[in-house]
Amino acid sequence: MPRTVIDLRSDTVTTPGDEMRRAMAEAVVGDDVYGEDPTVSRLERLVAERAGFETALFVPSGTMANQIAIAVHADRGQEVIVPSGAHVYEYELGAMAVIAGVVPRIVPAPGGVPDPADVRRAVTRSKHQAPTGAVVLENTHNRAGGTVVPLDVAAAIGAIAREEGLPYHLDGARAWNAAVALGVPLARVCAPFDSVALCLSKGLGAPVGSIVAGSRHFVDAAHRYRKLLGGGMRQAGVIAAAGIVAVETMVERLALDHGRARVLAEGLHGLPGVAVDLTTVQTNMVYVGVDHADAFVRALATAGVLANAVSSTAVRFVTHVDVDDDDVAQALQVIEEMATRAAAA
Ligand code: TLP
């Protein structure tokens, strides 16, 4: 893609930098299905330690990490409590029904943050209903704007899950962004949970890979599901090596992405025909309301700025390691010209 294109569709679009590519080229590898890839094992130990869990498993994607966790935690025919807009429900193609045989029970989550009382009310115990099997939270919450779930709310929901004897899973595809936004170590964000899914290929810029972490007992069961889903990878050290560089060098810089998203949001705020709720801009995403999202995104693309239409009236911009201050300034200029022209027409 020519450099003149500013790609704000997602933080998944990054390409690995020199240090990552070098680490990939030099990675010591083995057959990870035999548990013999030292680089994969090192990445799993590193992330387990950072997240505060006993152990961890390297998997190809965030979707697989989440769906493995749900399948391990819940039995067929059960309900899984998820916040409204959750990725596990909205964007994982019904996988929880297909793989684990469970159905979602959606609780309201204004700004991505469920009310613990709603979670308690959503737990079903009646003989006439599917019993609850697990509780899922998402932090940051993508669809709500990349918003951060406060630690006390995550803990309060965790206390309810524990009282009810329910496993508690975090879709932490962007938990590192939450940690940086909150100014706490990753382990604090992950503390209330029995399992977490963490992505290396979003803000941290690795080309592929996610981690699912938990107790040894949980990860043993997760291992079986990874294989069952075709996620057993052989000399995966070549990609795990990039994951190690991501975890060791790319976390602190997420603050730059957050700052740039803020600059973008403030620049967009007040433009004609573009609605921005600045309170939702807490990490590396900016969601804006427009009249016709598809047409808006198409027009932007012709001017070299890529964004995603996430509904007929909402567009998402995401900052990441391959977007710098000049790119944000240029994107703003393009959008401003477009919005002003459209308002005058
Ligand atoms: N999100 C992607 C799209 O699928 C929407 C993106 O561009 O944001 N959990 C969360 C919260 C996510 O945002 C994503 C990816 C995943 C899980 C799934 O990760 P992958 O794409 O690795 O399966």
Side-chain angles (χ1 to χ4, degrees):
M1 204 170 274
R3 184 64 193 109
T4 48
V5 170
I6 301 166
D7 194 344
L8 298 164
R9 287 172 301 169
S10 182
D11 47 11
T12 60
V13 300
T14 59
T15 53
D18 292 343
E19 191 181 351
M20 267 185 198
R21 286 180 188 271
R22 221 172 8 254
M24 294 170 79
E26 291 167 4
V28 181
V29 297
D31 190 331
D32 185 53
V33 172
Y34 289 89
E36 289 173 3
D37 188 305
T39 309
V40 170
S41 304
R42 213 174 104 219
L43 172 67
E44 290 172 342
R45 277 195 307 275
L46 173 69
V47 180
E49 191 206 297
R50 296 280 165 100
F53 286 96
E54 204 175 351
T55 186
L57 191 67
F58 185 46
V59 296
S61 68
T63 300
M64 193 184 285
N66 281 327
Q67 295 302 327
I68 284 175
I70 290 171
V72 171
H73 290 316
D75 293 331
R76 297 185 76 74
Q78 289 190 322
E79 286 189 354
V80 173
I81 296 174
V82 306
S84 167
H87 195 280
V88 291
Y89 171 59
E90 295 281 350
Y91 296 109
E92 296 185 12
L93 290 87
M96 71 168 78
V98 176
I99 297 165
V102 298
V103 285
R105 158 84 55 173
I106 295 149
V107 293
V113 184
D115 181 337
D118 284 331
V119 173
R120 192 187 289 284
R121 269 194 293 275
V123 177
T124 53
R125 290 281 170 239
S126 138
K127 274 206 294 278
H128 308 289
Q129 286 179 291
T132 309
V135 180
V136 174
L137 196 72
E138 187 174 312
N139 200 7
T140 64
H141 192 298
N142 176 350
R143 186 80 203 206
T147 51
V148 179
V149 180
L151 296 178
D152 59 336
V153 175
I157 296 171
I160 292 165
R162 222 172 16 258
E163 276 170 37
E164 298 285 349
L166 296 169
Y168 187 30
H169 172 72
L170 174 66
D171 177 353
R174 296 186 181 82
W176 268 290
N177 295 82
V180 167
L182 289 163
V184 301
L186 178 70
R188 285 280 303 284
V189 174
C190 298
F193 297 91
D194 297 299
S195 61
V196 299
L198 300 164
C199 289
L200 305 163
S201 61
K202 308 234 158 29
L204 301 195
V208 191
S210 292
I211 288 281
V212 59
S215 66
R216 183 152 311 275
H217 183 71
F218 166 83
V219 170
D220 282 348
H223 202 275
R224 187 173 75 85
Y225 274 106
R226 183 181 71 172
K227 182 82 170 134
L228 184 149
L229 294 170
M233 298 180 285
R234 301 293 176 173
Q235 286 70 30
V238 288
I239 49 175
I244 292 171
V245 175
V247 173
E248 287 181 338
T249 70
M250 301 288 279
V251 174
E252 264 104 75
R253 65 151 308 286
L254 290 174
L256 294 171
D257 298 343
H258 299 179
R260 288 174 182 138
R262 179 78 359 221
V263 169
L264 183 64
E266 284 172 359
L268 294 173
H269 187 61
L271 290 183
V274 178
V276 190
D277 178 355
L278 290 174
T279 63
T280 66
V281 183
Q282 300 170 14
T283 58
N284 66 332
M285 296 184 178
V286 182
Y287 278 73
V288 302
V290 292
D291 280 343
H292 303 288
D294 282 331
F296 185 90
V297 161
R298 261 199 315 274
L300 271 187
T302 60
V305 176
L306 305 185
N308 269 341
V310 292
S311 76
S312 58
T313 56
V315 173
R316 185 186 74 164
F317 299 90
V318 186
T319 53
H320 51 74
V321 63
D322 291 345
V323 169
D324 62 19
D325 291 336
D326 289 346
D327 293 328
V328 169
Q330 198 181 321
L332 266 174
Q333 198 184 330
V334 165
I335 301 164
E336 189 174 344
E337 280 168 16
M338 216 181 82
T340 316
R341 237 190 350 262

